[in-house]
């Protein structure tokens, strides 16, 4: 399984059902060393899944702790998350406040 830290729309039930075919069970964690910004989504499939035009995105910086959920995904589900995040994000392996590591999507 692949750990993925989500701080945004991947936590939404409708996005999880569409992208993974199931609801995910996540654990709380915190990400440090980033700042939240917003981006406008234009991909019709992403807009249809989330129903939201403005999504959160992370950039490196000295911001406040960012709470989120860590989901355990299969490699196939992680690939589906990559498709959902599309060209707007880049996936990186990063440490979390708990001491574990997870994949996180940053602003591309």
């Amino acid at each position: 399984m692949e750990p993925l830290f989500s701080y945004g729309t991947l936590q939404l039930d409708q996005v999880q059902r569409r992208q993974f075919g199931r609801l995910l069970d996540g654990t709380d964690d915190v990400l440090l060393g980033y700042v939240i910004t917003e981006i406008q989504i234009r991909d019709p499939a992403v807009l249809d899944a989330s129903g939201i035009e403005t999504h959160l995105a992370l950039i490196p910086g000295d911001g406040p702790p960012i709470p989120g959920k860590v989901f355990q995904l299969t490699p196939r589900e992680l690939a589906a998350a990559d498709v959902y995040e599309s060209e707007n994000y880049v996936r990186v392996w990063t440490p979390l406040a708990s001491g574990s590591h997870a994949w996180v999507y940053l602003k591309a």
Side-chain angles (χ1 to χ4, degrees):
M1 299 296 277
E2 299 281 350
L4 176 67
F5 179 85
S6 173
Y7 55 91
T9 60
L10 284 175
Q11 294 182 50
L12 299 174
D13 288 357
Q14 71 265 22
V15 172
Q16 292 179 11
R17 283 189 183 103
R18 168 152 294 164
Q19 293 308 119
F20 312 121
R22 67 182 179 104
L23 291 179
L24 304 176
D25 185 26
T27 57
D28 294 330
D29 212 325
V30 174
L31 184 62
L32 304 171
Y34 293 92
V35 176
I36 293 179
T37 188
E38 295 180 339
I39 60 173
Q40 296 301 308
I41 301 299
R42 292 178 178 75
D43 184 319
V46 176
L47 289 170
D48 188 47
S50 71
I52 303 168
E53 289 183 17
T54 303
H55 286 210
L56 302 179
L58 297 178
I59 56 174
D62 189 24
I66 299 167
K69 296 277 187 189
V70 177
F71 299 116
Q72 298 296 324
L73 302 181
T74 67
R76 184 175 177 181
E77 289 170 334
L78 188 59
D82 287 344
V83 169
Y84 173 77
E85 300 296 3
S86 65
E87 74 278 354
N88 297 301
Y89 298 88
V90 59
R91 180 166 45 94
V92 300
W93 186 250
T94 191
L96 302 173
S98 66
S100 64
H101 285 71
W103 292 110
V104 177
Y105 289 103
L106 306 181
K107 183 179 179 199

